[in-house]
Amino acid sequence: MTAQTKIFETPLYPYARHPDQDAATPARHTAVVVGAGPVGLALAIDLAQMGVEVLVIDDNDKVSFGSRAICFAKRPLEILDRLGCGVPMVDKGVVWNLGKVFFDDRQVYEFNLLPEKGHKFPAFINLQQYYFEDYLVARARALQAEGAPISLRGKNKLTAIDQQSDHVMLDIDTPEGPYRLRADWLIACDGAGSPVRRMLGLDFVGEVFQDNFLIADVVMEADFPTERWFWFDPPFNRGQSALLHKQPDNVWRIDFQIGWDIDREKELDPANIDKRLKAMLGEDIQYELEWSSIYTFQCRRMEKFHEGRVIFAGDSAHQVSPFGARGANSGLQDTDNLAWKLKLIEDGTAPESLLDSYDVERIHGAKENILNSTRSTDFITPKSETSRIFRDAVLDLSERHDFARPFVNSGRLSVPCTYDGSPLNTPDALPGGPARARPGAPCPDLPLAEGFLLERLGGRSAPRFQLLAIGVEVPADLTVPGIEIEVIALAPDASPALKERYLGEAPAALYLIRPDQHVAARWPGFDRMAVDAALNRALGKEA
């Protein structure tokens, strides 16, 4: 039995009868998360670290079968670091920054996703989703042992919901029969086929593309480098495309574009997969097929990400095609955006209307992902002969000319979302400030004398707002009722990267940083009234 097979078969949160099932009246929980995948577990950990009582339910009790999501980008790794599990995931994962693009049988160019130095985390790691979930469950168990208010219930299937003005009533089925719960908030992290979404009669808007891709995860000894390799029109898959990626434990992800009018059962036949693999890798290849699947390109989202006290995150709220690694990565950015807002609403520090900003900001992120994913799909699968001629010309030119390379689109890879136009932003007031750290942007990391800046930003035990003062004097007694504000003072020469990443042409700067490490406001100096107004705006209050 391989290690992978064993992890698929091991219950991580097995069913156990809970006193809630015998309660005379339905027990009430602050937050109930449906779905123990990467998004649901990350959200639950974030809430629990801030002291919000959270229950995760899932009709399964094990990790997801198969590698599934494997590419995790720098920004989600930074989020996971704040949740206490980023470093072990990087240690286990395959780190990569370099990608190569091939046309026919030749390489046309390569790219480096993080040529810039001075970051704690790499551009990407590859890590099978089953390991990812295993690490998150271990982190949740560690928090439980420390007394954090988090619990997981396997084989608990949500069957019905009844939304009230101040809670949601849940019907849950178990191996020992049904029971009921109340939840202040229900967060649906239950995947693209979201039963919660169906129960509310809600649907996606968007497009399903007429193309299919075959995933084959194979265990094999190979000396390919740890890079992302993408082929257009390769000899082994003429007229289509293919992708090769390395994962831990000598597992390799191979994607074959296979077209629209297919026999799915035939394509998933191991004998046919074997033919494809041998055409690509050679007749002598020795491998073990670990997992295979077929997926269809889809770029869709809900029109709203919350309906009263029911909130959607991850694939339950939006879907994009896998090329570009935007699915799980955008889901983790959903949780990062949502958790601190729910905490402040629960505490009475922020109004419930703050939740509207979750819709605004994460729908902005979903639109950005869908746009990039749609463009990738159109380039990978041209819709007309004219489009194909244009694409092939671009690929030919990219081999020799730099100007053509930005037009090549084998899946624009996941980048952090900047919340331009968010109602929580204060208009930029730092003349000459770098665009990468404008209001709405996630804070760029940089090295300090000890550790990295992002290790000091955000908070685990409370949703802190922070003032990053770079060459600016800020009063030590700065307090706002109900809000923890920490001042982080840095000299302009504290890091060589400060000028390029935070100062630009300004000699000094003051940044107001949200609990999710996004910039809320920035100024050239300290003004108490301006800071108070920006903080109120970032809390969803009247500015």
Side-chain angles (χ1 to χ4, degrees):
M1 178 181 291
T2 66
Q4 289 81 12
T5 303
K6 187 175 181 180
I7 198 171
F8 294 152
E9 295 180 352
T10 305
L12 292 184
Y13 40 97
Y15 171 76
R17 190 170 186 85
H18 192 275
D20 284 358
Q21 294 170 248
D22 302 311
T25 57
R28 186 160 186 158
H29 294 270
T30 304
V32 173
V33 174
V34 184
V39 174
L41 289 169
L43 176 63
I45 289 167
D46 206 350
L47 290 171
Q49 285 188 163
M50 293 185 291
V52 177
E53 187 265 327
V54 57
L55 165 64
V56 182
I57 62 171
D58 198 302
D59 58 357
N60 194 8
D61 59 3
K62 306 177 184 70
V63 296
S64 298
F65 184 79
S67 299
R68 299 181 182 270
I70 64 165
C71 296
F72 296 96
K74 179 176 179 291
R75 179 58 196 151
L77 293 174
E78 292 166 349
I79 294 167
L80 291 162
D81 196 38
R82 188 173 55 77
L83 303 185
C85 46
V87 170
M89 289 183 179
V90 172
D91 290 344
K92 176 64 179 178
V94 172
V95 172
W96 64 279
N97 295 325
L98 195 65
K100 292 180 179 176
V101 176
F102 301 86
F103 182 34
D104 195 357
D105 59 356
R106 68 191 193 276
Q107 179 181 323
V108 291
Y109 82 100
E110 66 181 45
F111 55 88
N112 188 338
L113 292 167
L114 191 62
E116 183 179 72
K117 305 298 183 185
H119 294 266
K120 180 174 180 179
F121 288 100
F124 272 91
I125 66 166
N126 287 352
L127 182 68
Q128 295 94 319
Q129 183 169 322
Y130 48 78
Y131 281 132
F132 195 90
E133 292 178 10
D134 197 25
Y135 281 111
L136 288 170
V137 170
R139 176 59 182 155
R141 294 300 190 204
L143 286 170
Q144 274 185 313
E146 295 166 9
I150 182 172
S151 54
L152 286 75
R153 297 184 195 172
K155 300 295 184 183
N156 274 237
K157 181 180 181 180
L158 181 65
T159 58
I161 57 178
D162 179 17
Q163 184 161 201
Q164 304 295 321
S165 60
D166 66 343
H167 71 276
V168 184
M169 185 69 77
L170 314 178
D171 288 345
I172 298 170
D173 198 17
T174 75
E176 296 182 325
Y179 71 107
R180 308 192 84 195
L181 287 177
R182 288 188 176 93
D184 292 348
W185 302 97
L186 176 67
I187 306 102
C189 305
D190 53 347
S194 176
V196 173
R197 195 178 63 241
R198 290 201 307 270
M199 289 174 197
L200 289 179
L202 302 173
D203 203 354
F204 282 136
V205 294
E207 186 174 1
V208 178
F209 293 89
Q210 293 191 359
D211 211 346
N212 292 295
F213 286 77
L214 169 71
I215 294 175
D217 276 0
V218 300
V219 183
M220 64 180 179
E221 297 285 345
D223 57 2
F224 303 122
T226 54
E227 301 166 349
R228 179 189 193 261
W229 286 6
F230 192 97
W231 287 265
F232 290 96
D233 194 19
F236 56 84
N237 197 28
R238 278 297 179 207
Q240 308 284 10
S241 62
L243 177 72
L244 176 71
H245 254 194
K246 185 179 182 180
Q247 305 173 58
D249 305 332
N250 290 319
V251 178
W252 295 81
R253 161 67 55 84
I254 302 172
D255 287 52
F256 296 101
Q257 185 182 6
I258 57 176
W260 179 244
D261 188 16
I262 61 166
D263 182 332
R264 296 175 77 92
E265 186 175 338
K266 181 179 177 181
E267 290 291 348
L268 288 170
D269 184 329
N272 284 319
I273 294 174
D274 184 65
K275 289 178 185 177
R276 290 188 179 276
L277 291 171
K278 285 182 176 177
M280 178 183 190
L281 303 169
E283 287 291 331
D284 298 332
I285 184 69
Q286 299 294 314
Y287 70 91
E288 177 187 344
L289 181 63
E290 179 181 280
W291 179 66
S292 61
S293 181
I294 291 175
Y295 61 85
T296 303
F297 267 3
Q298 300 186 54
C299 292
R300 308 188 297 167
R301 66 171 177 87
M302 296 181 68
E303 294 189 271
K304 287 180 59 183
F305 285 5
H306 87 281
E307 188 77 22
R309 289 181 165 263
V310 181
I311 308 167
F312 296 84
D315 286 351
S316 71
H318 45 75
Q319 282 182 281
V320 290
S321 59
F323 289 130
R326 295 173 178 275
N329 286 298
S330 62
L332 290 166
Q333 291 175 75
D334 290 347
T335 70
D336 189 48
N337 187 286
L338 176 61
W340 68 272
K341 294 175 180 177
L342 277 181
K343 166 64 174 173
L344 292 179
I345 291 169
E346 273 298 301
D347 287 352
T349 305
E352 284 192 20
S353 58
L354 179 61
L355 201 55
D356 294 337
S357 71
Y358 170 70
D359 281 50
V360 172
E361 293 179 340
R362 292 313 302 154
I363 286 175
H364 173 81
K367 286 180 176 178
E368 185 178 273
N369 283 327
I370 287 171
L371 175 64
N372 280 292
S373 192
T374 300
R375 287 173 174 171
S376 297
T377 304
D378 289 340
F379 194 85
I380 292 168
T381 59
K383 302 301 184 290
S384 67
E385 186 59 26
T386 301
S387 297
R388 182 177 293 278
I389 291 169
F390 169 78
R391 186 202 67 181
D392 292 353
V394 167
L395 290 167
D396 278 330
L397 287 167
S398 69
E399 188 173 8
R400 300 180 303 279
H401 302 288
D402 289 344
F403 82 87
R405 290 169 186 169
F407 295 101
V408 177
N409 195 337
S410 63
R412 292 276 186 254
L413 287 151
S414 178
V415 295
C417 182
T418 295
Y419 301 133
D420 288 317
S422 168
L424 306 189
N425 294 348
T426 290
D428 195 355
L430 182 64
R436 67 189 294 182
R438 65 190 182 274
C443 290
D445 203 6
L446 54 81
L448 299 172
E450 294 184 5
F452 289 84
L453 178 61
L454 288 188
E455 294 172 337
R456 300 178 61 182
L457 298 183
R460 292 186 181 179
S461 60
R464 290 183 301 182
F465 280 82
Q466 292 163 307
L467 285 173
L468 176 62
I470 306 170
V472 173
E473 291 290 328
V474 179
D477 60 348
L478 191 67
T479 58
V480 174
I483 290 291
E484 181 181 350
I485 299 181
E486 179 188 23
V487 177
I488 299 174
L490 298 177
D493 61 355
S495 172
L498 264 176
K499 179 172 177 58
E500 193 274 332
R501 298 179 196 178
Y502 283 91
L503 291 174
E505 301 304 316
L510 180 68
Y511 281 78
L512 177 64
I513 310 298
R514 299 177 0 174
D516 57 3
Q517 300 174 334
H518 280 252
V519 176
R522 62 180 184 177
W523 308 270
F526 176 74
D527 180 301
R528 179 59 191 263
M529 290 182 65
V531 170
D532 284 352
L535 181 61
N536 278 323
R537 185 176 288 111
L539 291 170
K541 298 180 179 179
E542 193 70 31

